[in-house]
Amino acid sequence: MNRRQFGTTLASGLLASPLLDTPLGAATRLLTPTAPRVNGERLNRHLAELSRFGSNPHGGVTRLAYSDADKQAREYVLGLMRDAKLTPSIDAAGNIIAARPGREASLKPILFGSHIDSVPEGGNYDGNVGSMSAIEVAQTLGEQGITTRHPLQVVIWQNEEGGLYGSRAVSGQLTPEELQNVSRSGKTIAEGVSFLGGDPQRLAEAKRAKGDIAGYLELHIEQGGTLERDHVDIGIVEGIVGIKQWEVTVTGFANHAGTTPMDQRHDALLTASRFVEAVNRVVTSIPGRQVGTVGRMQAFPGAPNVIPGQVVCTLELRDLDAGKIDTMYARIGDEAKRIAAANGTSFAFHSLHENVPAPSDPRVRSLIADSARELGLTARVMPSGAGHDAQAMAQLGPMGMIFVPSIGGISHSPKEFSRPNDIVNGANVLLATLLRLDAGLVTSG
Ligand SMILES: [Zn+2]
C-alpha cells in the first residue's frame, strides 16, 4: 500500500467514524483534567492588536509582504515571541523562527506556525489565526512549566500570499530565478528578503532537507463555508490539493460576420463556449470534491462584426489525487477534439503551472482527531482547496493542518471572520496535537 492509498484508507475510516461528527462531552474531558489549555482571551487580544498593522477602512488589512505594514507587524510578533520566552531570529530567507529548547537536544525540531502577510484588501484572520495561536501555544507551555522532548520552532513564514516564498525557500523548492519576481509591494523577492532582515545571497542556509524536521503543524481558517454550515468545530486537513493550469488556444477562422453563412463558420468563440460547458460536465460527472474552472477568456480580433478567429482561455483542475487530475484532463481533451471537429476549429493546450498535491500525514491526522475528541469538539476530514505553507513543509516531514470555521466561507476580504471561541478551540487542538506529536507519532489507541 503506497502512501496515498494508506492516506485515503485512513481518511475514509475517519470519515465513516460515528465519533467524529459527534461531541463526546464531559466524560471524555474528565479523562484528562490536567490537559493544558491556551489563554483564549489573550489570544484574541493579540489577534485584535495584530489587525492594527495595515488596517484598511473596510475593517480588514492590506499587509502586503515586504511593505512597511508587514515589517511593523513582524516587529510586533517578535515582541510577543520574547514575551512568550522564545528566542526569535530571522533566517536567510526572511522567515521569523523562534526556538524553544526541548529535553532531548538530539531530536529534530517540531515546527508550527503560519503567515501574517495578506492579499490587498484582505481580512484579519487568514494566516493571523495560526500565527497568533502558535505563539500562544508556546507561551502556554512556558506558563505551565512544560518542556517538550523535541525542540520547538514557532515559524512565521514570509510572503505566503505571493507564492509561499518563505516556506519554499526552506523546502528547497524556490529557484534562484524566482528571486527576481516582482512582488505586489513593488520590491523584487530578493529586495523583500533583504528588507525583512534575510540575505538572498545566503538563501541556501535557510534550506532544510527531508527528515530535518520531526513534524509541522499549522492552524488556519477554512476559507470555505462547509464547517460553519454543518456546525463542525474542527477540520482535519486530508491534504492540500494539487493544481494544474493550462493556457488553451482555440483556432478557427476570422471572417465577416455579415456575409459568412452560419453553416460555413469556424467560430473559435462558439467552440470555446462549448468547451467551458464540457469542462463543467466532465468535472461534475465523477464523484468527489475535484474542481475545474475556465477563469479567463479572450476572443480575437474582438470586434462586433467579425467572427472570432482565435480564443485564448485557461483551464484549471484541482484535486487531492494527481491521477484524477490527469484522468479529467484526458477526458476534457477528448471532448475538446469532438467539439472542434463539429465546426472545423482546433485546440492547443499549453501547460502554465503545476502544484503537486501535498497529502497530510495520516498519523498526524489521527492525532488531531484524538485531540479534538479529547476537547469534546466535532471534527471532519476535508481537503484544502487553497494553498498553504504546510504544502512546502510536507516535503520535509510529517505535516498536519487544523481548520477552524470561516463564517459565510468568506476569505481574502475585509468581511473574513472566525468566531473567537472557534479560534480558541483551534488553538487548543493545536496545543494538544503538538503534545501528542512530541510524545511520539505512534498512538497507543
Ligand atoms: Zn493563509
Side-chain angles (χ1 to χ4, degrees):
M1 188 184 283
N2 67 27
R3 193 177 173 196
R4 181 176 302 132
Q5 286 167 330
F6 181 44
T8 310
T9 308
L10 182 120
S12 33
L14 284 174
L15 278 172
S17 163
L19 295 177
L20 272 178
D21 271 0
T22 315
L24 291 180
T28 315
R29 241 169 289 157
L30 287 173
L31 294 174
T32 51
T34 57
R37 300 283 187 274
V38 302
N39 180 333
E41 182 273 324
R42 179 172 62 199
L43 168 58
N44 280 295
R45 176 160 41 84
H46 288 165
L47 205 49
E49 285 171 6
L50 178 63
S51 70
R52 293 197 313 254
F53 300 96
S55 65
N56 65 43
H58 314 291
V61 295
T62 297
R63 197 187 298 138
L64 304 178
Y66 320 138
S67 66
D68 289 338
D70 184 28
K71 197 166 188 177
Q72 287 153 10
R74 285 163 56 98
E75 287 301 325
Y76 170 74
V77 162
L78 289 168
L80 291 183
M81 288 172 156
R82 292 188 192 103
D83 291 347
K85 308 275 193 297
L86 297 168
T87 313
S89 61
I90 294 172
D91 74 0
N95 301 304
I96 301 176
I97 300 182
R100 187 169 192 273
R103 292 198 306 274
E104 298 174 36
S106 62
L107 294 177
K108 302 292 187 192
I110 297 175
L111 275 61
F112 54 112
S114 195
H115 64 96
I116 60 164
D117 65 304
S118 84
V119 295
E121 302 282 307
N124 297 318
Y125 298 86
D126 177 3
N128 301 329
V129 164
S131 298
M132 294 299 97
S133 296
I135 296 170
E136 177 58 37
V137 161
Q139 187 157 9
T140 301
L141 292 176
E143 289 169 352
Q144 308 258 341
I146 298 168
T147 304
T148 51
R149 291 172 58 221
H150 297 77
L152 302 181
Q153 293 182 0
V154 176
V155 189
I156 307 298
W157 302 108
Q158 64 97 346
N159 201 357
E160 190 270 353
E161 297 292 358
L164 314 181
Y165 281 95
S167 52
R168 288 192 302 119
V170 170
S171 66
Q173 294 163 295
L174 185 66
T175 63
E177 297 77 51
E178 287 181 275
L179 286 173
Q180 298 319 312
N181 292 351
V182 179
S183 72
R184 284 172 176 140
S185 69
K187 296 184 181 70
T188 64
I189 304 301
E191 287 163 354
V193 167
S194 301
F195 179 71
L196 297 183
D199 184 350
Q201 303 298 321
R202 291 167 39 232
L203 208 61
E205 291 174 22
K207 190 173 151 185
R208 305 195 202 191
K210 192 175 177 65
D212 275 356
I213 67 172
Y216 177 76
L217 298 175
E218 182 166 351
L219 171 67
H220 205 281
I221 58 169
E222 179 192 354
Q223 300 181 282
T226 66
L227 293 176
E228 187 215 3
R229 185 192 64 207
D230 298 337
H231 306 286
V232 178
D233 301 314
I234 295 291
I236 302 169
V237 176
E238 189 179 356
I240 296 158
V241 298
I243 305 172
K244 276 197 180 183
Q245 294 175 344
W246 294 264
E247 184 175 82
V248 183
T249 305
V250 184
T251 305
F253 190 81
N255 209 339
H256 197 295
T259 60
T260 314
M262 295 306 284
D263 63 351
Q264 286 173 37
R265 296 177 175 215
H266 308 288
D267 183 336
L269 186 53
L270 180 64
T271 303
S273 309
R274 290 172 175 155
F275 174 73
V276 175
E277 193 278 326
V279 168
N280 186 269
R281 185 156 29 81
V282 168
V283 172
T284 54
S285 68
I286 311 165
R289 285 178 282 198
Q290 66 282 350
V291 289
T293 307
V294 176
R296 192 177 72 207
M297 183 179 282
Q298 202 177 2
F300 300 94
N305 57 356
V306 182
I307 298 162
Q310 191 180 63
V311 167
V312 178
C313 63
T314 56
L315 167 65
E316 186 196 79
L317 299 173
R318 300 187 183 211
D319 193 64
L320 274 180
D321 178 355
K324 192 185 248 183
I325 293 177
D326 292 341
T327 303
M328 289 191 293
Y329 178 59
R331 285 180 54 181
I332 288 168
D334 290 344
E335 286 282 320
K337 276 200 197 95
R338 192 181 58 75
I339 293 165
N343 65 351
T345 54
S346 65
F347 275 87
F349 292 82
H350 165 69
S351 174
L352 280 182
H353 171 79
E354 179 175 4
N355 240 352
V356 295
S360 60
D361 189 287
R363 297 163 299 178
V364 181
R365 289 204 289 272
S366 53
L367 299 184
I368 297 170
D370 292 346
S371 301
R373 196 180 300 128
E374 175 197 70
L375 291 157
L377 301 171
T378 55
R380 163 187 294 172
V381 176
M382 59 185 296
S384 170
H388 295 289
D389 293 306
Q391 73 199 57
M393 289 304 99
Q395 306 285 322
L396 302 184
M399 175 275 277
M401 265 196 101
I402 301 157
F403 276 173
V404 290
S406 291
I407 302 308
I410 301 169
S411 186
H412 285 185
S413 155
K415 293 192 165 56
E416 187 175 83
F417 179 64
S418 289
R419 289 176 295 236
N421 194 41
D422 288 338
I423 293 168
V424 176
N425 286 340
N428 278 322
V429 172
L430 176 65
L431 172 59
T433 304
L434 175 71
L435 292 174
R436 281 183 159 82
L437 186 59
D438 179 56
L441 258 182
V442 183
T443 46
S444 53

